[in-house]
Amino acid sequence: MLRIVRGQKVIGWLTVVMLVLGLAGAPQAVRGQARPTAKPYRTDPTLREAFQKAVRQAGQSTVEVLVNGKVMALGAVVNPDGYIITKASEVKGPAAVRLPDGAQYQARAVGRDEAFDLLLLRIPAKGLKPVEWGSGDQASVGTFVIAPKPGGQIAAVGIVSVAARDVPAKGPGSYPNPNVGYLGVTLQDTEDGPTITSVLEGSPAEKAGLLSGDVIYSLAGQRVRNVEGLLEALRAYPPGARIRVVVLRDQEFVEKQVTLGQRPRNFSRAEFQNRLGGELSEKRSGFPRVLQHDAVLQPKDCGGPLVNLDGRVIGINIARAGRTESYAIPAETVQKLLPELMRGKGMDGQK
Amino acid sequence: MLGMDSIGHRVAKWPVLVSAILLLVGWLLVVRASVWSEPGPPVGVEDPGLAQLRLVQDKVQAVVKQVMPAVVAVVVGQGQGSGVVVTRDGYVLTAGHVSGKPGQEVTVIFADGKRVKGKTLGRNPLADSGMIKLEGEGPYPYAEMGDTRHVRVGDWVMAIGHPGGFRPGRTPVVRLGRVLLVDPETMVLTDCTLVGGDSGGPLFDLKGKVIGIHSRIGELLEQNIHVPIDTYRETWEALAKGVEVGLAYLGVRGDEEGEQAKILEVAPNSPAAKAGLQPNDVIVSCDGRKVSDYRSFLHILRRKQPGEEMRLEVLRNGEKVELKVKLGKRPMSQP
């Protein structure tokens, strides 16, 4: 039994479950009591007031993105003629945009970038106030960052935790989502497609007869071309789902039925700790370039601007990725993508 | 190019002209500043709250640059944690549950990706402190140790570490918060968010001094617990020698709030139970030293070794009772 703290006066005691950090060993749960005697800075009213001043202007360029009347994400005005950037994967269906003044418009999807998970919407409005871009690439570690809500209230505050960096594709940096089906293989992209490099013992893949060296060709009838695509396709199925997997084995198609399983427990500890303190974005990895910060975003706060103390927008929030990490796409990267998105990038085959 | 001398010379020679130029420059600075800094607020009339945040930001950015080279990832077997070098010759502070048993081979990874081998030294499982010595004599980049006595509730602090373990291309991750509570004996509580892999990493004050080592978290985002730095200083010699400290086990729970050292519970079959300690006993002295309250008793107990004997004088139903306790070894499942 570990006493977390003594208290001279017993007021506002909290009973907490304490977990020893670290990747090795089982989590040790220790019960104790704590009586915080200072306010966390993120909720300190005096500081919030100061942060709010920094985003007064950016708040006028921040909008809500709704699907079926429900706010799913924030967005940022990038052009006075009705162009709004937001987080693509949170907008599943016809979107509407609500401006800071409350006016609401049906939006049309104009362009989409899968890797960065950005979606460009357009609404029939003119004279909007676009964001004032700053530099995300030059924002040094320790820079205060604020995520405004429409109108200039604050969704979250924090600092830049890691300067803008390129993230290698498939690089570590993703936390496995336990709510999606689990196959139990390690994969590598080859010229043939996503190739199984090992099959974990006792995994659904082993039970279904998948072998190391198999190239996965399709999943439930959906053609997959690389590891990223395969993981994306897999995400649609919960544990227990039975799906048809076609693999290329010695240049022949082999069909297998796989019953997806639950991710084994050794994965779940990091996952568990990362979920302490809030919900995570469904898509929270695979972005080719990110600015990492420690503002505690809600998944529906993503898609909007990330602002510094000068009121400049240094990035677009793209994911709540863990207990300690949120990601933004740096301003320069977004600006570079905008012309392509305006030309309709990623919209082929859609009406 | 004009040096200071030549400017001084001109000032003496052309006082009127120079004053005029200075005035002009001054006017330009004042009038143009608002134009240059658009769309930010005009220079000189910044909101005091924002100005204060800017001061904090400047310090945080400076400290990060200064201390980052001393922050390491620690790889022990299959496990990964964090640590910080605190001496030129390569002593590394980490969490006890990261370093584990003394004498293990470890690899530390510096922020620039450089890998260095080391060995685990002593630890204190109760305090969750641990130590590592890097091979050779360095010189290694290091950060200075602070002093828990100077840590105040409300101080701005920074947690640095490797959440999720070391990742190539990612520098150690910095998080900001404030000290929410200090108990110099057991913990510093902050709202610097931590997660697995951060364990053993340093908590810095705005002067760049290490004031804590990341240890454990609670359910809420503002429940992040660090081992106070004084623990390391107090037990430095034992830890550096590879000794495990804080293992002495009595098996009681006492009243930490009360004004007396009152025993509330006695664990069955524990050294305390074997010695005949009972709930509601009030400890009045230990090895001849007066005990004022339960916390002062814990202070003595924490510095004992397993196997040591303790003479306790307790008050039971108004009568003094003398007991002799032989301390056991703490079961590792209960830190």
Side-chain angles (χ1 to χ4, degrees):
Chain A
M1 180 106 170
L2 187 92
R3 309 289 295 172
I4 299 306
V5 74
R6 79 179 152 144
Q8 289 80 1
K9 291 176 201 119
V10 187
I11 38 164
W13 287 82
L14 299 166
T15 301
V16 294
V17 178
M18 289 297 163
L19 304 157
V20 171
L21 298 174
L23 300 178
Q28 283 172 293
V30 183
R31 281 186 189 283
Q33 296 171 308
R35 182 177 63 91
T37 53
K39 263 203 171 64
Y41 87 90
R42 292 173 172 89
T43 54
D44 185 313
T46 322
L47 292 171
R48 277 186 91 84
E49 209 174 292
F51 283 120
Q52 222 163 310
K53 284 181 180 135
V55 297
R56 197 176 279 159
Q57 203 178 332
Q60 297 306 315
S61 309
T62 308
V63 302
E64 286 171 319
V65 178
L66 301 88
V67 178
N68 294 329
K70 219 178 133 199
V71 178
M72 300 309 293
L74 297 180
V77 177
V78 292
N79 173 305
D81 297 334
Y83 287 95
I84 313 278
I85 195 97
T86 187
K87 177 168 167 69
S89 59
E90 295 291 337
V91 185
K92 297 167 188 152
V97 165
R98 185 152 60 210
L99 300 179
D101 65 8
Q104 195 167 315
Y105 298 87
Q106 280 305 311
R108 182 166 62 85
V110 174
R112 186 186 187 100
D113 187 287
E114 287 294 334
F116 284 103
D117 199 21
L118 288 170
L119 176 68
L120 187 68
L121 298 171
R122 186 162 191 197
I123 55 171
K126 294 243 181 251
L128 301 183
K129 218 173 149 5
V131 294
E132 297 272 3
W133 294 108
S135 173
D137 287 344
Q138 277 164 41
S140 57
V141 176
T143 301
F144 273 117
V145 290
I146 309 129
K149 286 184 186 170
Q153 291 289 312
I154 294 173
V157 298
I159 59 162
V160 172
S161 295
V162 181
R165 69 189 198 272
D166 293 324
V167 182
K170 274 200 306 130
S174 57
Y175 292 101
N177 183 343
N179 300 321
V180 301
Y182 168 75
L183 205 50
V185 294
T186 57
L187 295 154
Q188 196 180 356
D189 277 324
T190 66
E191 283 177 9
D192 302 325
T195 306
I196 298 178
T197 52
S198 70
V199 178
L200 303 184
E201 232 183 278
S203 66
E206 192 197 51
K207 284 176 194 153
L210 294 180
L211 299 175
S212 180
D214 285 355
V215 176
I216 300 184
Y217 182 82
S218 73
L219 210 80
Q222 189 183 343
R223 178 91 164 86
V224 291
R225 293 174 200 278
N226 51 35
V227 174
E228 191 65 29
L230 184 139
L231 294 178
E232 193 65 47
L234 201 57
R235 227 169 261 161
Y237 301 94
R242 199 168 155 75
I243 58 171
R244 194 163 52 91
V245 176
V246 176
V247 299
L248 260 173
R249 184 180 294 168
D250 302 325
Q251 278 149 28
E252 277 186 50
F253 287 112
V254 179
E255 190 184 314
K256 299 283 182 192
Q257 294 287 334
V258 182
T259 306
L260 296 177
Q262 193 99 41
R263 200 162 280 281
R265 293 197 77 187
N266 57 332
F267 279 94
S268 66
R269 183 164 176 241
E271 179 68 27
F272 173 67
Q273 288 195 355
N274 268 303
R275 282 180 183 276
L276 288 181
E279 214 187 309
L280 306 181
S281 298
E282 206 175 294
K283 172 157 170 67
R284 55 184 182 274
S285 64
F287 317 108
R289 187 170 175 80
V290 293
L291 178 70
Q292 185 175 334
H293 62 88
D294 71 348
V296 184
L297 297 170
Q298 299 299 313
K300 63 174 175 39
D301 296 334
C302 291
L306 184 70
V307 182
N308 65 14
L309 290 183
D310 298 331
R312 298 292 187 133
V313 175
I314 62 169
I316 295 297
N317 284 312
I318 207 67
R320 178 68 180 155
R323 176 180 164 103
T324 63
E325 55 192 325
S326 296
Y327 293 143
I329 309 296
E332 288 88 338
T333 306
V334 178
Q335 284 171 281
K336 215 177 289 170
L337 284 168
L338 280 177
E340 295 171 51
L341 293 172
M342 285 183 172
R343 285 196 299 268
K345 184 190 181 185
M347 301 307 290
D348 323 328
Q350 292 196 21
K351 32 185 176 100
Chain B
M1 224 171 80
L2 296 176
M4 276 308 284
D5 280 348
S6 58
I7 290 174
H9 188 63
R10 279 165 193 232
V11 171
K13 228 175 176 179
W14 306 99
V16 178
L17 179 61
V18 168
S19 309
I21 290 172
L22 284 177
L23 277 174
L24 181 65
V25 169
W27 177 84
L28 278 172
L29 278 176
V30 171
V31 175
R32 303 287 304 178
S34 56
V35 179
W36 290 340
S37 66
E38 295 264 55
V43 172
V45 293
E46 180 161 81
D47 173 77
L50 261 178
Q52 210 176 351
L53 287 175
R54 252 181 244 282
L55 274 179
V56 173
Q57 176 174 282
D58 288 348
K59 282 188 188 164
V60 171
Q61 288 171 338
V63 169
V64 165
K65 281 209 187 84
Q66 176 196 331
V67 302
M68 203 59 119
V71 179
V72 295
V74 177
V75 185
V76 192
Q78 293 289 307
Q80 273 203 43
S82 303
V84 60
V85 186
V86 291
T87 67
R88 203 180 147 82
D89 56 348
Y91 281 89
V92 177
L93 304 187
T94 187
H97 76 272
V98 169
S99 61
K101 285 205 171 71
Q104 295 187 85
E105 297 271 348
V106 300
T107 302
V108 311
I109 312 169
F110 284 88
D112 61 5
K114 196 177 148 203
R115 286 166 186 257
V116 179
K117 293 226 172 299
K119 259 209 169 81
T120 61
L121 301 175
R123 64 169 166 170
N124 180 341
L126 184 59
D128 197 22
S129 58
M131 199 183 263
I132 289 164
K133 174 69 176 75
L134 300 181
E135 63 182 10
E137 295 303 307
Y140 292 105
Y142 68 97
E144 276 176 34
M145 289 166 70
D147 187 329
T148 311
R149 284 173 308 176
H150 298 151
V151 178
R152 296 277 172 275
V153 166
D155 286 355
W156 288 98
V157 284
M158 268 162 289
I160 312 187
H162 291 272
F166 179 78
R167 290 186 202 156
R170 184 187 71 175
T171 50
V173 180
V174 182
R175 282 134 291 165
L176 184 69
R178 292 197 298 194
V179 174
L180 303 182
L181 191 144
V182 188
D183 180 345
E185 286 269 326
T186 59
M187 64 164 235
V188 175
L189 179 78
T190 74
D191 53 342
C192 298
T193 54
L194 302 176
V195 81
D198 272 320
S199 286
L203 182 72
F204 288 102
D205 63 14
L206 289 193
K207 291 187 186 117
K209 301 258 176 84
V210 182
I211 56 160
I213 295 293
H214 315 326
S215 172
R216 47 205 187 273
I217 58 174
E219 231 169 308
L220 302 177
L221 283 164
E222 55 264 32
Q223 292 168 336
N224 306 280
I225 293 185
H226 318 261
V227 183
I229 195 70
D230 281 7
T231 313
Y232 290 87
R233 194 180 286 108
E234 280 174 23
T235 56
W236 183 277
E237 273 181 46
L239 294 178
K241 265 192 257 168
V243 174
E244 295 198 70
V245 292
L247 293 182
Y249 175 62
L250 180 61
V252 296
R253 194 170 71 79
D255 177 14
E256 291 187 38
E257 320 306 330
E259 285 166 14
Q260 292 180 308
K262 191 186 202 176
I263 303 296
L264 299 177
E265 282 173 49
V266 178
N269 302 318
S270 64
K274 284 174 194 159
L277 260 178
Q278 294 175 10
N280 294 321
D281 283 356
V282 174
I283 301 171
V284 290
S285 83
C286 175
D287 296 333
R289 279 166 70 190
K290 210 172 155 278
V291 170
S292 53
D293 56 18
Y294 189 70
R295 289 186 59 82
S296 63
F297 174 66
L298 278 183
H299 187 83
I300 301 172
L301 187 62
R302 285 201 178 99
R303 282 147 187 86
K304 296 277 183 190
Q305 289 295 321
E308 267 188 72
E309 282 200 349
M310 258 184 5
R311 273 186 304 114
L312 295 180
E313 199 178 10
V314 302
L315 266 180
R316 184 180 297 165
N317 304 325
E319 280 179 40
K320 275 197 179 168
V321 182
E322 289 236 11
L323 300 166
K324 212 178 242 180
V325 186
K326 190 176 179 190
L327 293 171
K329 194 170 173 180
R330 181 168 297 278
M332 291 305 276
S333 58
Q334 323 177 332

